[in-house]
Each structure stands twice: as structure tokens, then as C-alpha cells.
Amino acid sequence: MMTTEKLQNHLKHVESRIREAAIRSGRAPDAIQLVAVTKTQSVETLEKAYAAGVRTVGENRVQELLAKWPSFEDRFEWHIIGHLQSNKVKYIIDKVALIHSVDSLKLAQEISRQAIKIGKVMPVLIQVNPAEEETKFGLSSSEVELLVREAALLPGIKIQGLMTIAPFVEDEGLLRQVFSEMRQIFDHLKEVSIQGVEMKYLSMGMTHDFEIAIEEGATMVRIGSGLFGERQ
Ligand SMILES: *Cc1c(COP(=O)(O)O)cnc(C)c1O
């Protein structure tokens, strides 16, 4: 069973690996933000995570987020990190601080529409899939700028960066290539400076690849099993 002490140890260990990778990449250790991925974890485990010092959590399913949210409300900063269906946006719009997974104009439009209804401007990331694997969500590199430019015009959202899920492979060279390509797209979008777009967060890196992601420029890592143990 996951105890608060065990979680605290995992958290310290992950945080020190994040710091070291940040320093290796010539950045300040606090330039990297940790999102604790709590999908499949119970309310009891989240309570322990809170006690261990976790404050930002990522969920990939709307139903699951809604089930846990009442136990914590704003004690956590909630992020949606998984594929989001347009028809579910209305349930989470008032509960989440960042949506990592915007992969279509249709979804961006719905987020904007629902945000405006509640007088909010919703921070979002655009999900990119530079490896262009057919099984994953996310846009190809060439589609990204187009979507960013179109979505930037929507009044209810604020684009704050990019997100990717790297392919699940051992090949470090391939992972570096994917993360480095993301970094290039991120830097390019920063340079062309699109009105209303702030390239602030580069969300990439999970338990098995977060150090490589940080070395290649990640500013936000999403870590689940490295904190909570392998999921069932
Ligand atoms: C599950 C998940 C993670 C965390 O994965 P771990 O390998 O457990 O760290 C990160 N990002 C997304 C989008 C996920 O669905």
C-alpha cells in the first residue's frame, strides 16, 4: 500500500532527478513544473499525495476527475492531460487550471465557448505528435502552427504552450529526436510571436523519459508511476 512516507520519498527522488536534469540543461531547477498524474489513483491516495506536498495533479478522464474533484476542490490545481471530447468540456471548464490536450479547432472552439459562459479565459496547450504515430492523438508538426494561429483568435482560451506524448520506446535517440523537434516547434512559435499566444509551457516527459525531455527543453513533466507505483 502507498503510504504518505513512501509517496514523500518518491516525490523527493523525482524532484531531485528533475533538478539535476534541469541543471544539466543549463536551466534553473525551479524552471520545471511537476504534474503528478493521478489517473486510476483513489481519493485516499490523492489525500496522501496532498499530505506529501503534491499540489498539481493531472487526470486524463473527465469522469474520473469529476469523481475526485469534490473531495479536494481547489486544494489541488487540476490539469486535463488526456484526449478531451468536445461534449465533455462543459463539465470541467470551471474545475481545471490547464488543458494539455487541445488537438483540433473544434475542441478549442468549444472550450472557448464554455469558458466565456462562465467568464473565464481558459489556459490550454496544443497537443502535438511529432512522431506522427497513427494510434495517438495530436497534430503533426506542420499542422501545429495553423491550429495555433486559428485558435489564437478565440476569445475564451489562452494558448500557453505545447504538449506531447512521446512514443513508448526504449530508444533514447528516437526520444531525444521527438523532444528536440517539439522544442524547435516551441521556439519557432515563440519567435513568430502570434498575438495572444504565450509559449510558456512545454509539457513533455513521463516516468520513463522525463530526464531526456527536460534535457531537450521540457518545462513541465507529467509523472504517474514514478510517484504512485505501476498502475493496475
Ligand atoms: C498516464 C499519463 C502520464 C504519466 O505516465 P507515467 O508513465 O505513469 O508517468 C503522462 N501523460 C499522460 C498524457 C498520461 O496519460
Side-chain angles (χ1 to χ4, degrees):
M1 220 199 46
M2 191 53 63
T3 61
T4 301
E5 290 70 33
K6 207 162 165 184
L7 247 168
Q8 231 154 11
N9 287 339
H10 288 178
L11 185 62
K12 271 194 200 134
H13 183 60
V14 164
E15 282 172 343
S16 81
R17 285 170 61 192
I18 290 173
R19 271 197 302 277
E20 282 161 23
I23 289 164
R24 280 200 298 281
S25 73
R27 285 181 297 157
D30 63 1
I32 321 295
Q33 202 177 320
L34 169 65
V35 178
V37 175
T38 47
K39 66 184 184 200
T40 77
Q41 307 301 335
S42 65
V43 164
E44 290 70 33
T45 301
L46 266 76
E47 203 58 77
K48 288 170 190 159
Y50 188 85
V54 168
R55 291 296 179 269
T56 305
V57 293
E59 288 282 343
N60 68 337
R61 293 222 171 97
V62 167
Q63 284 310 323
E64 215 183 312
L65 187 149
L66 292 175
K68 295 171 193 174
W69 194 82
S71 306
F72 302 94
E73 300 192 343
D74 293 334
R75 284 198 285 149
F76 282 128
E77 180 181 301
W78 300 86
H79 292 190
I80 282 277
I81 60 171
H83 182 64
L84 177 61
Q85 288 172 294
S86 298
N87 61 1
K88 303 227 170 115
V89 170
K90 56 180 174 286
Y91 304 117
I92 50 98
I93 194 75
D94 59 332
K95 300 181 175 62
V96 303
L98 184 64
I99 298 172
H100 291 230
S101 44
V102 172
D103 58 0
S104 71
L105 185 61
K106 179 174 170 258
L107 176 58
Q109 284 167 333
E110 179 60 8
I111 296 170
S112 176
R113 202 170 75 85
Q114 296 294 342
I116 290 167
K117 271 195 191 172
I118 61 162
K120 180 175 181 175
V121 177
M122 186 70 219
V124 303
L125 308 181
I126 303 297
Q127 182 174 354
V128 187
N129 181 12
E132 296 186 25
E133 278 183 284
E134 284 177 13
T135 52
K136 291 224 178 95
F137 295 102
L139 305 150
S140 72
S141 322
S142 55
E143 295 166 323
V144 185
E145 185 167 347
L146 189 63
L147 177 60
V148 169
R149 287 187 183 279
E150 288 176 329
L153 303 171
L154 299 167
I157 65 168
K158 185 176 171 63
I159 300 174
Q160 296 199 317
L162 305 177
M163 178 271 224
T164 197
I165 303 172
F168 196 75
V169 293
E170 297 282 328
D171 185 347
E172 193 184 314
L174 177 60
L175 289 170
R176 261 187 213 289
Q177 197 181 316
V178 167
F179 293 137
S180 151
E181 191 177 335
M182 283 296 293
R183 167 69 181 278
Q184 286 165 36
I185 301 168
F186 184 77
D187 286 345
H188 168 74
L189 289 172
K190 216 184 251 181
E191 262 171 43
V192 297
S193 167
I194 299 161
Q195 173 124 45
V197 174
E198 191 183 10
M199 281 292 132
K200 183 171 161 188
Y201 302 121
L202 183 52
S203 168
M204 58 186 194
M206 309 176 13
T207 296
H208 296 287
D209 57 20
F210 73 89
E211 284 154 308
I212 304 170
I214 293 170
E215 286 166 14
E216 298 300 330
T219 71
M220 201 177 255
V221 292
R222 311 176 307 267
I223 298 180
S225 49
L227 294 173
F228 301 105
E230 290 300 328
R231 282 177 298 274
Q232 307 296 301

